Amino acid sequence: ITPASMTIVFLSITIGTIMTMSSSNWLMAWIGLELNMLAILPIISKPKTTRASEATTKYFLTQAIASAMMLLSSTINVWQTGNWNILELKNKFSTTIMALSLMMKMGAAPIHFWLPEVLQGTTLQTALLITTWQKIAPVTLMYMISNNIQPAILMSAGILSMIIGGLGGINQTQLRKMMAYSSINNLGWTITIMAFSPNMALMNICTYIIMTTPIFLMMTNMSTKTLQNLSTTWTTSMTMTLSIALLMLSTSGLPPFTGFMPKMLILNELISQKLTTLATLAI
């Protein structure tokens, strides 16, 4: 891929996300997500391997289904209300389909199956792009419609994401798959609190992005792809290995690291909403 075409691709990804974030119309938001999705496909398929082609196909099909669901939801809502405005998503059926399509876009459970596979089939830089930048647009849309989504749907998906993210990462030796399950787990926290405090959900996802970015960059720098690679980097770059270990502990929400702060605030909010059982499950 030439530098000119890469510039066009990255520009399209940026414009697509910004278009979705700044639009008040479902059609424009959908166009932004489509532009974003089509632009990232050449990046995923850049390594000329079978795994990369498989990852590209999986990503494309999943995102296309999610986009179709999104369009169906907004069309039904327009049919009922006569309004394309994002904040006017009043129809319960439309809201449920929209919530599911956005969860599918960002890779939250129960529609998370594509994320570990796609991340494993691509490069570390692309995995970074998928787990951070590609989450921004769907999370923004979910933030905008959070008042209309039934809390039970968000909480069910959130708890399921926490459980799958936590258990799925245990038996992994591949770092990219571990980071994928970490992403699912963090999305679980974000979605759970989205029903009660959308601003806190945004803070959680921003903290996650800030912590994940240096982990991927350091793994790229040291060319580590498995836990075995990571255990041997101690001799070559002690500082970087220690930094990755501390950042991973922070991402998992261990005190006194930064990642503990949003989780503590989320638990506090859940308890104040009289959802003590849910807070206990989250722990």
Side-chain angles (χ1 to χ4, degrees), residues 48-277:
K48 297 290 177 277
T49 59
T50 319
R51 287 301 300 269
S53 306
E54 187 187 327
T56 312
T57 311
K58 280 178 181 173
Y59 186 83
F60 172 70
L61 289 174
T62 317
Q63 298 293 318
I65 292 165
S67 293
M69 284 169 69
M70 191 177 164
L71 209 55
L72 170 71
S73 166
S74 51
T75 309
I76 290 169
N77 188 63
V78 171
W79 184 32
Q80 295 282 321
T81 62
N83 199 332
W84 279 103
N85 195 316
I86 290 176
L87 301 173
E88 294 296 317
L89 195 71
K90 303 292 184 193
N91 187 296
K92 273 191 178 180
F93 180 65
S94 295
T95 314
T96 308
I97 294 178
M98 185 61 74
L100 285 170
S101 74
L102 292 174
M103 285 171 201
M104 199 172 189
K105 281 251 175 225
M106 60 178 95
I111 326 164
H112 66 285
F113 52 86
W114 61 272
L115 189 62
E117 296 299 317
V118 170
L119 254 60
Q120 187 55 36
T122 187
T123 61
L124 284 164
Q125 294 98 318
T126 314
L128 166 65
L129 197 64
I130 293 168
T131 49
T132 55
W133 184 261
Q134 293 298 92
K135 299 263 187 291
I136 296 170
V139 167
T140 309
L141 285 175
M142 191 172 269
Y143 174 85
M144 290 162 87
I145 63 165
S146 58
N147 291 335
N148 300 327
I149 307 173
Q150 291 159 289
I153 294 167
L154 289 174
M155 287 190 294
S156 306
I159 291 166
L160 199 60
S161 295
M162 283 182 207
I163 294 166
I164 288 170
L167 296 177
I170 292 171
N171 202 27
Q172 298 300 331
T173 53
Q174 295 289 336
L175 288 174
R176 278 168 294 181
K177 277 197 174 178
M178 275 179 68
M179 293 307 290
Y181 283 109
S182 164
S183 172
I184 293 164
N185 181 273
N186 270 280
L187 276 173
W189 285 89
T190 306
I191 292 167
T192 305
I193 200 61
M194 189 71 82
F196 308 104
S197 177
N199 291 338
M200 207 175 282
L202 277 192
M203 184 193 69
N204 184 57
I205 200 78
C206 289
T207 312
Y208 168 73
I209 289 170
I210 290 163
M211 289 187 302
T212 305
T213 306
I215 294 177
F216 271 111
L217 292 175
M218 283 190 277
M219 286 193 324
T220 308
N221 195 0
M222 295 192 294
S223 301
T224 50
K225 288 178 183 175
T226 62
L227 278 175
Q228 197 174 2
N229 291 155
L230 200 60
S231 61
T232 55
T233 53
W234 185 260
T235 49
T236 52
S237 180
M238 188 171 143
T239 317
M240 226 173 248
T241 313
L242 190 64
S243 300
I244 286 181
L246 292 174
L247 277 164
M248 281 185 167
L249 287 174
S250 181
T251 316
S252 62
L254 202 77
F257 299 107
T258 316
F260 172 65
M261 179 192 63
K263 288 182 172 61
M264 184 187 70
L265 291 170
I266 288 168
L267 287 172
N268 185 46
E269 182 65 28
L270 289 174
I271 292 163
S272 68
Q273 293 280 353
K274 304 285 188 291
L275 292 163
T276 319
T277 318

